[in-house]
Amino acid sequence: QVQLVESGGGLVQAGGSLRLSCAASGRTFTGYATGWFRQAPGKEREIVAAISWSGGRTYHADSVKGRFTISRGTAKNMVDLQMNSLKPEDTAVYYCAAKRFTGYSGKYYYTGSSEYEYWGQGTQVTVSS
């Protein structure tokens, strides 16, 4: 079992920055593809960014491209999300997710929520005008 806990959310003004981290525990090995999703009130959960198990390949949704950067974290944090130039539209609960690497299966990263095995509880990000 792998447990994930997000941190770093909060209230910021438009144009500000936040750095989200996802701490993992209970890991038996370090190979995980990871991603960040978000869900705003009244909206469906959407992919924000994803990264391969090696950290060499990334994906960023068009809505955040150029502003957000996903990266593999330290030994404590499985994955980080640096968010710059935040907009009110970025307000949402942000979730990290992980999929165990069991060997190359044709994909380096994953953008569908159903593809992930482990999820954090979410952290609130609120951006004011």
Side-chain angles (χ1 to χ4, degrees):
Q1 286 275 53
V2 174
Q3 295 179 326
L4 308 177
V5 179
E6 302 92 339
S7 63
L11 174 64
V12 298
Q13 290 186 310
S17 298
L18 285 174
R19 187 176 183 87
L20 305 184
S21 295
C22 181
S25 63
R27 297 164 64 186
T28 57
F29 57 95
T30 59
Y32 294 89
T34 57
W36 286 95
F37 292 79
R38 67 185 182 186
Q39 187 166 23
K43 295 184 178 294
E44 295 183 339
R45 184 173 297 184
E46 63 177 351
I47 181 69
V48 175
I51 191 167
S52 65
W53 68 272
S54 68
R57 289 179 168 82
T58 62
Y59 165 88
H60 296 84
D62 289 343
S63 60
V64 306
K65 194 171 296 183
R67 299 187 298 118
F68 293 9
T69 303
I70 190 171
S71 62
R72 297 308 299 262
T74 64
K76 177 183 178 180
N77 298 318
M78 180 174 286
V79 60
D80 293 340
L81 183 70
Q82 179 65 47
M83 305 187 295
N84 299 324
S85 302
L86 283 161
K87 304 175 180 179
E89 306 94 271
D90 296 318
T91 296
V93 176
Y94 284 71
Y95 301 88
C96 66
K99 176 180 174 60
R100 182 165 55 96
F101 174 74
T102 58
Y104 180 65
S105 59
K107 290 185 177 182
Y108 292 102
Y109 56 78
Y110 304 86
T111 58
S113 60
S114 63
E115 298 179 287
Y116 288 92
E117 302 170 79
Y118 309 105
W119 291 83
Q121 85 292 343
T123 186
Q124 177 70 48
V125 171
T126 302
V127 185
S128 62
S129 301

